[in-house]
C-alpha cells in the first residue's frame, strides 16, 4: 500500500492519518480538508470557545510541526468527485490525487429549519469554527436570543451564551433523542434555574423579519421577539461524493463491520458512516468524538492489515451550566430505568435496561460511575438487572 488518501480533515480524518503512523504505516498519508487552518476539534465550539474561555490553541488537534514530523501531507481544498476506475479524487480546482486506499471522513452538515425565513440575517447554525466566530460576535449585541432545538448543541449554546435565552423544542422534553426522561427533567430544571425559558412541544412555523430576523412564529401562531436565532435541529451526513461514486448510501455511507464501503478500496468513518453497531443491534450513524476516534483507529488497522470487527462502546458527554452528563452505551429500546445517587444534589446516574440487561448508563456529575459503566460494558456478558439489584445498583461494586 503506497498512498492512503483521506477526504475530510476533521476529528475522524485526522484520527485515520495519525493512527496510520502510530501503526507504523510508511506510505504516503494525504489529508484533504475544505476548512481553513489546521485540523481542530468541535466540542469547545459550543462550550469554552463560545464563552470566550478557550481560544484557538485549545481547538487545534495538533500544532503545525506535528504534521511535518509525522509525514502527513495536508492539502487544503474541496474534493469534488471520486474516480473509482482511475483510483483518484478530483478537487474543485481541477487537480487530481491518486490513492491506493481512500477514506471518506466527510462528517455532516447542519439541518436547515424547513420554514419560511430560515435564511434571514440573524439566523445561525453551529458546526464550524467560522460559525462560532460569527455567533460570538453576534451575541455581543443581541438582545432577544431564541434557540430552536433542545438537543446537545442548542442546550450547550444556551448554557454558554452568557444571557437568558428562550429554548423552543418540538418534543415534550429536552434531549429526547439521547437521554432518559429523568435526565431531561434534571437539565430542564437547571436551565430554568439559570433564567432560560423552555417551551416544550412547540414547533416553529416561520422566522419573521425584513432581511433580518425580528420574530419567531410558533406553531400556534404566537410570536417571540428575536434578533438572534440559533438553530440546532440535527445534522445530515455528507454523502454526496459517495453517492455520485456509486457507493451504497442510506442515512450515511454504508460500511461493514470493518468500516469498508461497498468498494473494498474505500472506507468511511465518523459522522458520515452508517455502520453495523453491535450495541444498538442495527445499522447506526453516531455523532461523537468517541465514534470518530475509535472508527479512525479501526479503519487504520484494516488498512495496515490487522482488521478486527468494529465493536467499540459508544459514549458521549455534554457540559451545561456546571453539570457534566456522560452517557455510556445506547439507550434505544430500553424499557426499564433505575436511578442511583442523589438527584437533589445533582449527582446521580440512570441505569437503563433492555430485556433485563444493562444497555446504558447516564451519569450526572458522577465520573466514577461513568468509568465503572464503561468497564462493565467491556465485560462479557453485560450485567443483568438481578446482578446489579443484588449490589444495590452500585456500579463500582458490581465491577469489582
Ligand atoms: P467533522 O469533524 O465534521 O469533519 C469532517 C470534515 O470534512 C469537515 O472539516 C468538512 O468540512 C470536511 N469535508 C467534507 N466534505 C469534504 C470534501 N468534499 N472535501 C474536503 N473536505 C470535506 N461530540 C462529543 O462526543 N462530545 C461533545 O461534547 C461534542 N460537542 C460538539 C459540539 C459542536 C458544536 C459540534 C458541531 C459537534 C460536537 N460533537 C461532540 C460531535 C463531534 O464533534 C463530531 O461527532 C465529530 O467532529 C465527527 O468527526 P468527523 O471527522 O466525522 O466529522
Amino acid at each position: 500500500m503506497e498512498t492512503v488518501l483521506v477526504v475530510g480533515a476533521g476529528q475522524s480524518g485526522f484520527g485515520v492519518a495519525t493512527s496510520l503512523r502510530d501503526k507504523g504505516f510508511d506510505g504516503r498519508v494525504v489529508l484533504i480538508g475544505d476548512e481553513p487552518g489546521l485540523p481542530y476539534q468541535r466540542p469547545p465550539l459550543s462550550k469554552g470557545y463560545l464563552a470566550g474561555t478557550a481560544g484557538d490553541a485549545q481547538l487545534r488537534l495538533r500544532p503545525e510541526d506535528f504534521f511535518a514530523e509525522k509525514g502527513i501531507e495536508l492539502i487544503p481544498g474541496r474534493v469534488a468527485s471520486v474516480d473509482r476506475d482511475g483510483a483518484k479524487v478530483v478537487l474543485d480546482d481541477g487537480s487530481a490525487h491518486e490513492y491506493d486506499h481512500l477514506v471518506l471522513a466527510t462528517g455532516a452538515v447542519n439541518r436547515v429549519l424547513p420554514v419560511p425565513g430560515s435564511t434571514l440575517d440573524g439566523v445561525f447554525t453551529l458546526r464550524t469554527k467560522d460559525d462560532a466566530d460569527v455567533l460570538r460576535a453576534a451575541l455581543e449585541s443581541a438582545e432577544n436570543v431564541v434557540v430552536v432545538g433542545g438537543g446537545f448543541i442548542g442546550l450547550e449554546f444556551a448554557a454558554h451564551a452568557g444571557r437568558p435565552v428562550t429554548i423552543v423544542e418540538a418534543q415534550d422534553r429536552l434531549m429526547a433523542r439521547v437521554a432518559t426522561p429523568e435526565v431531561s427533567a434534571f437539565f430542564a430544571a437547571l436551565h430554568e434555574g439559570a433564567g432560560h425559558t423552555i417551551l416544550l412541544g412547540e414547533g416553529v412555523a416561520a422566522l419573521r423579519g425584513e432581511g433580518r430576523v425580528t420574530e419567531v412564529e410558533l406553531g400556534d401562531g404566537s410570536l417571540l421577539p428575536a434578533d438572534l436565532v440559533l438553530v440546532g435541529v440535527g445534522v445530515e451526513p455528507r454523502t454526496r461524493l459517495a453517492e455520485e461514486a456509486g457507493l451504497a448510501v442510506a442515512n450515511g455511507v454504508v460500511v461493514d463491520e470493518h468500516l469498508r464501503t461497498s468498494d473494498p478500496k474505500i472506507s468511511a468513518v465518523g459522522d458520515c458512516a452508517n455502520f453495523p453497531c453491535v450495541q444498538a443491534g442495527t445499522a447506526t450513524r453516531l455523532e461523537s468524538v468517541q465514534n470518530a476516534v475509535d472508527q479512525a483507529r479501526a479503519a487504520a488497522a484494516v488498512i495496515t492489515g490487522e482488521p478486527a470487527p468494529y465493536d467499540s462502546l459508544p459514549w458521549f458527554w455534554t457540559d451545561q451550566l456546571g453539570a457534566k452528563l456522560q452517557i455510556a452505551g445506547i439507550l434505544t429500546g430500553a424499557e426499564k430505568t433505575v436511578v442511583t445517587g442523589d438527584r437533589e444534589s445533582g449527582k446521580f446516574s440512570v441505569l437503563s435496561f433492555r430485556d433485563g440487561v444493562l444497555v446504558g448508563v447516564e451519569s450526572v456529575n458522577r465520573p466514577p460511575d461513568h468509568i465503572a459503566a464503561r468497564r462493565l460494558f467491556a465485560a462479557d456478558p453485560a450485567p443483568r438487572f438481578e446482578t446489579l439489584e443484588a449490589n444495590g445498583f452500585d456500579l463500582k461494586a458490581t465491577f469489582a
Side-chain angles (χ1 to χ4, degrees), residues 186-207:
F186 174 82
F187 278 90
L190 202 62
H191 279 271
E192 279 169 347
H196 301 318
T197 303
I198 301 175
L199 305 176
L200 296 174
E202 289 284 0
V204 169
L207 304 176

Side-chain angles (χ1 to χ4, degrees), residues 109-196:
V109 284
N110 288 326
R111 233 176 244 143
V112 175
L113 203 58
V115 301
S118 62
T119 57
L120 286 170
D121 285 351
V123 180
F124 301 91
T125 60
L126 177 52
R127 176 84 194 171
T128 65
K129 179 175 177 296
D130 284 353
D131 293 340
D133 288 336
V134 174
L135 251 178
R136 241 166 45 163
L139 264 172
E140 278 173 24
S141 56
E143 285 182 8
N144 296 305
V145 178
V146 175
V147 176
V148 181
F152 280 163
I153 302 291
L155 293 178
E156 288 185 356
F157 169 82
H160 296 89
R163 74 198 53 218
V165 307
T166 301
I167 301 161
V168 182
E169 167 56 52
Q171 302 285 316
D172 59 1
R173 60 188 181 87
L174 299 177
M175 299 187 285
R177 197 168 62 88
V178 289
T180 54
E182 291 86 345
V183 167
S184 299
F186 174 82
F187 278 90
L190 202 62
H191 279 271
E192 279 169 347
H196 301 318

